[in-house]
């Protein structure tokens, strides 16, 4: 009731067009960079060319628009029917890069083969989240807040490696012998510090746009240092027609299992996001109406990720940051989501948008992503801190972090293992996450 009183427009209200567009623009500011960053990181790690990177960015925007519409509109049993914004998820980056490495042939990346393994695994594993939506009350007993917190922390910790690699200049700088140069590290540090500066501002618009402003400043400096070549944009077409299964599909059991675990945890995170969104929107957070809404939202989370693989994009998840935007603006109307969805679809259909962001130097992107990944790790620690830290919890955390970080820090430990084992456990997130689930289920403490 208190939340309802603080709202200007409720869930089913239709704000005037000016207020609707203003609220939609603020949501776009909060999510735009987060949507395009995962494809940029994955493309950099797998050394994709500019055209492919631009296409993947465009498809991420396009699919995020469709996914947001499904969540807000609720089509049959699919969707939460709330102002839930979906976008490309950071959680899947590490296992996706691992799946993409299956495209290495004789030491050289076969781009289409790598992407076919990625989208094949993402599509099959998405079924996990859809199944979880149907058995939601039981899954919450297996994937507890402690397990979720450990996995989220590991996601942030493992991704920091990708972030710091980008800060040094990425794979291109390694090949050119300029990795870790003062220019690359200085530019990354400038971006990181500028984001922190804008984020701690008392002006909410500067806080919302802190990452965008940090990237713009970094790109401005990079351009004058000769690190951005806009002449390459002339190759971009005028319009993109989405082509389902453009790169084909290939399947690898290890990649599917690794991604399936992340989908499992994502379902639990989605439940938390839907609960928070319902609370902020003045809707019930318990009872049959809420459970129907939560199951529909998680089902949509999985279905939209399946759809993303069809349209050559990466898994989607509900963005938690938009819950804060609803609180700030006082606008919980799901009709605002239709405008956000339309804007994302339109942006995704113009290749110039994707290719423009593909020109961002790795070190500039690294300065922003390093902070983002650190924030993900901190979010996991907050989840853990909200649980009771008893002897069992300490043991579960200790063994999970030890197992997860060990394969991330010393990947050669799996050299003598069969390929199936290597594919499953090469990701610290997968190894640590599976360990957390098993340890939490089987460790019993005798008083």
């Amino acid at each position: 009731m208190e939340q309802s009183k603080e709202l200007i427009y409720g869930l089913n209200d239709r704000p005037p067009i000016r207020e609707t567009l203003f609220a939609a623009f603020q949501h776009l500011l909060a999510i735009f960079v987060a949507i395009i960053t995962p494809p940029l990181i994955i493309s950099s790690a797998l050394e994709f060319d500019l055209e492919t990177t631009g296409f993947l960015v465009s498809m991420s925007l396009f699919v995020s628009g469709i996914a947001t519409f499904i969540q807000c509109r609720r089509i049959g049993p699919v969707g939460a029917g709330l102002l839930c914004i979906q976008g490309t998820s950071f959680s899947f980056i590490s296992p996706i890069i691992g799946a993409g490495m299956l495209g290495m042939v004789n030491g050289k990346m076969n781009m289409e083969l790598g992407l076919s393994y990625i989208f094949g695994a993402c599509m099959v594993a998405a079924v996990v989240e859809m199944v979880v939506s149907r058995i939601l009350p039981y899954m919450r007993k297996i994937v507890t807040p402690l397990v979720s917190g450990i996995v989220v922390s590991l996601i942030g910790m493992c991704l920091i490696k990708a972030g710091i690699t980008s800060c040094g200049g990425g794979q291109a700088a390694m090949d050119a012998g300029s990795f870790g140069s003062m220019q690359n590290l200085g530019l990354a540090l400038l971006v990181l510090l500028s984001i922190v500066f804008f984020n701690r501002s008392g002006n909410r618009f500067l806080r919302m746009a802190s990452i965008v402003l940090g990237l713009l400043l970094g790109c401005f400096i990079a351009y004058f240092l000769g690190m951005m070549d806009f002449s390459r944009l002339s190759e971009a077409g005028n319009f993109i027609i989405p082509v389902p299964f453009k790169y084909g599909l290939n399947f690898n059991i290890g990649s599917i299992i690794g991604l399936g675990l992340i989908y499992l945890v994502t379902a639990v995170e989605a439940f938390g996001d839907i609960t928070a969104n319902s609370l902020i929107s003045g809707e019930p957070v318990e009872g049959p109406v809420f459970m129907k809404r939560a199951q529909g939202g998680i089902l949509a989370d999985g279905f939209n990720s399946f759809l993303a693989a069809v349209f050559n994009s990466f898994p989607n998840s509900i963005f938690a940051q938009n819950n804060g935007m609803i609180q700030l603006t006082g606008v919980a109307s799901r009709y605002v989501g239709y405008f956000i969805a339309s804007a994302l679809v339109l942006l995704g259909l113009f290749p110039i948008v994707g290719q423009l962001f593909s020109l961002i130097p790795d070190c500039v992107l690294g300065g922003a992503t390093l902070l983002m990944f650190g924030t993900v790790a901190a979010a996991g620690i907050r989840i853990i801190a909200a649980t009771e830290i008893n002897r069992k919890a300490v043991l579960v955390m200790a063994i999970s972090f030890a197992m997860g970080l060990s394969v991330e820090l010393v990947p050669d430990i799996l050299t003598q293992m069969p390929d199936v084992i290597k594919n499953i456990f090469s990701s610290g997130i997968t190894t640590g996450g599976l360990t957390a689930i098993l340890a939490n289920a089987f460790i019993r403490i005798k008083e």
Side-chain angles (χ1 to χ4, degrees), residues 71 79-80 82 84-86 89 91-92 129-130 132-133 136 140 143 148 152 262-278 290-291 293-305 316-320 323 383:
Q71 282 287 13
L82 297 165
C84 282
I85 313 301
Q86 283 212 230
S89 174
S91 302
F92 296 84
E129 191 167 7
M130 290 189 261
V132 168
S133 73
L136 182 61
R140 290 171 65 195
V143 186
S148 297
V152 173
I262 309 300
Y263 277 114
L264 183 64
V265 176
T266 300
V268 179
E269 289 181 1
F271 180 83
D273 291 333
I274 292 166
T275 304
N277 195 308
S278 295
F290 168 72
M291 186 52 66
R293 184 165 277 154
Q295 288 185 303
I298 294 170
L299 178 60
D301 223 44
F303 174 78
N304 290 332
S305 291
N316 268 234
S317 65
I318 297 171
F319 277 1
N323 293 336
I383 296 171

Side-chain angles (χ1 to χ4, degrees), residues 234-259:
S234 59
E235 303 166 10
N238 295 322
F239 194 75
I240 285 181
I241 299 176
V243 180
F245 307 112
K246 180 177 180 178
Y247 301 101
L249 296 173
N250 269 300
F251 306 97
N252 174 270
I253 186 65
S255 299
I256 292 170
I257 292 172
L259 283 161

Side-chain angles (χ1 to χ4, degrees), residues 318-399:
I318 297 171
F319 277 1
Q321 57 262 50
N322 293 91
N323 293 336
M325 201 61 60
I326 293 171
Q327 271 191 312
L328 282 172
T329 60
V331 179
S333 170
R334 60 196 177 104
Y335 295 100
V336 172
Y338 301 162
F339 285 81
I340 299 168
S342 301
L344 289 170
V345 168
L346 286 173
L347 287 168
L349 292 177
F350 293 95
I352 189 71
V353 175
Q355 291 205 13
L356 183 65
F357 284 97
S358 302
L359 293 176
I360 298 175
D362 279 342
C363 56
V364 173
L365 190 65
T369 55
L370 195 63
L371 191 61
M372 289 183 195
F373 298 153
T375 304
V376 172
I381 293 169
R382 286 182 65 182
I383 296 171
I384 294 170
T387 65
E388 183 186 356
I389 310 296
N390 51 26
R391 276 199 298 154
K392 175 182 175 177
V394 171
L395 282 173
V396 173
M397 284 190 289
I399 191 171

Side-chain angles (χ1 to χ4, degrees), residues 42-43 46 48 52-53 55-56 96 99-103 109-122 246-250 309 312-314:
I42 292 164
S43 297
L46 297 175
F48 294 157
T52 302
T53 303
F55 179 77
L56 293 175
I96 282 175
M101 293 304 291
L102 295 170
M109 173 57 69
N110 182 320
M111 185 185 66
E112 290 195 4
L113 182 62
L115 285 169
S116 71
Y117 275 113
I118 289 171
F119 296 134
C122 289
K246 180 177 180 178
Y247 301 101
L249 296 173
N250 269 300
N312 317 289
S313 185
F314 305 116

Side-chain angles (χ1 to χ4, degrees), residues 86-205:
Q86 283 212 230
T88 323
S89 174
F90 281 91
S91 302
F92 296 84
I93 291 176
S94 186
I96 282 175
I97 292 172
M101 293 304 291
L102 295 170
M104 293 293 286
V105 179
N106 298 323
K108 188 175 181 181
M109 173 57 69
N110 182 320
M111 185 185 66
E112 290 195 4
L113 182 62
L115 285 169
S116 71
Y117 275 113
I118 289 171
F119 296 134
C122 289
M123 180 179 291
V124 174
V127 176
V128 171
E129 191 167 7
M130 290 189 261
V131 171
V132 168
S133 73
R134 303 299 91 190
I135 56 172
L136 182 61
Y138 307 101
M139 290 307 300
R140 290 171 65 195
K141 297 176 183 177
I142 298 171
V143 186
T144 62
L146 175 64
V147 172
S148 297
I150 290 169
V151 175
V152 173
S153 296
L154 281 169
I155 288 169
M157 291 174 186
C158 293
L159 286 175
I160 285 172
K161 179 180 177 182
I164 198 66
T165 301
S166 294
C167 288
Q171 188 62 48
M174 290 181 185
D175 296 339
S178 60
F179 183 78
S181 67
M182 286 298 293
Q183 178 172 288
N184 289 337
L185 294 179
L187 201 49
L189 183 62
L190 174 67
V191 172
L192 189 150
L193 291 177
S194 63
I195 292 173
V196 172
F197 174 78
F198 290 121
N199 193 263
R200 60 188 293 276
S201 168
N203 185 306
R204 63 183 180 134
F205 296 104

